[in-house]
Amino acid sequence: MAAFEKRRLWLAVLAALALAFPLLVTNGYYLHMMTISFIWMIAVYGLNLFAGYTGYLSLAHAGFFAIGAYTLGILTVKVGLPFWGAFVLSAIFTSLLGLVIGLVALRTKEHFFAIYTLCVGYIIYLVIDKWDSLTGGVRGFIGIPAPADIGPLSFQTPVAQYYLVLFFLCAVMFVMYRLVYSLTGRTYIAIRNSEELALTLGISTMKNKLASFVLSVFFTALAGALYASFIRFLGPDIAYVTVMFDFLTYLLVGGIGTLAGPVVGTLLITFLSQQLQFLQDYRMLIFGPVLTLLIIFYPHGIAGGFIRLSAKRKETRRLQEEAKQTAAELAVSRQGRSERHVEEG
């Protein structure tokens, strides 16, 4: 109970800091970077759901992120749909596409699945890059509108867009929390731990893997649509493999298969990237070896390592208390035997 109250206290403090951030930091650049970080977090939560809790590594999520972004741009600029209608349709369209791809991709397993999705992601990048008449190709896609007003709520300022993205991030985190601690989440974890054992228990692994994949694609497409409405300019680079590498870096550094991992990893790497901008040309040479060393010596990430350390400490305290209790019971028993010997003597 105390641990639960402590967790709620930490969540309340973090929520208060997130809400007060635009008031505490007046620099527009930091507000911009924090909003972008929130968008990345939503995309990483999508990847975490499938890779961290279901156990399948998808390397096509940067492509789905780009599809969500470009779909919003095409529907608003070329088709002329209202913003929020296009926003919803972009996430639904990308999810349906993910359903079709998942039906084929999930017939493979382990590294074959990762290789297949990597190829899918690269094909998406090529389509965006070469289809000039639809996506603008290398020239980019411009003119994407900002989020439309909802009654008295206006999202035309950076602060308002910050709170809008924060709202969607909190909604995604809430859904992830309820999902992970539900029977469905336990089913995903069972598939991750042993798909063969899950099959013997009567779990429909294909159906559950497909549902997890489609929901993860939905989260990533949602992040892509938010990115398009915030940046309002798109280029094919958002579908490239380097973006997928960023998603993986955020997830692995923060802690794959943890609820806090996407937040911790994204904030840490984004902050370090901004502080090391003068080394931007050598970014891959720096983060590549660091990520490799992290996987070797700290495979559960920052949040995962902290959770395991806390669990180990709790287990150590429990064992110590049991040992003390056992020692006390033995002492009482010996004292009782001694008293009986004295009485008999």
Side-chain angles (χ1 to χ4, degrees), residues 154-223:
S154 176
F155 305 105
Q156 304 303 313
T157 64
V159 174
Q161 291 178 3
Y162 167 89
Y163 284 117
L164 176 65
V165 175
L166 178 61
F167 167 78
F168 279 104
L169 173 61
C170 292
V172 168
M173 292 173 69
F174 176 76
V175 172
M176 281 288 296
Y177 176 82
R178 294 301 300 268
L179 182 66
V180 168
Y181 289 100
S182 68
L183 180 60
T184 302
R186 301 297 182 187
T187 302
Y188 294 162
I189 294 173
I191 294 172
R192 179 194 67 188
N193 293 340
S194 175
E195 190 168 342
E196 290 77 13
L197 180 58
L199 279 170
T200 61
L201 293 174
I203 295 174
S204 177
T205 56
M206 182 63 180
K207 186 174 89 171
N208 282 281
K209 287 188 298 183
L210 187 61
S212 175
F213 183 73
V214 172
L215 184 57
S216 72
V217 169
F218 177 83
F219 287 158
T220 307
L222 182 68

Side-chain angles (χ1 to χ4, degrees), residues 243-306:
V243 176
M244 190 66 238
F245 178 82
D246 288 340
F247 289 168
L248 280 174
T249 303
Y250 299 153
L251 183 57
L252 293 175
V253 170
I256 188 170
T258 64
L259 288 174
V263 175
V264 174
T266 303
L267 284 178
L268 179 62
I269 299 300
T270 301
F271 175 77
L272 289 178
S273 297
Q274 294 307 308
Q275 299 302 313
L276 301 174
Q277 278 191 347
F278 62 95
L279 296 174
Q280 190 67 21
D281 293 339
Y282 307 98
R283 186 167 176 271
M284 289 294 185
L285 293 177
I286 295 173
F287 284 110
V290 170
L291 185 60
T292 302
L293 293 174
L294 181 71
I295 293 173
I296 293 174
F297 296 105
Y298 211 67
H300 304 290
I302 296 173
F306 179 78

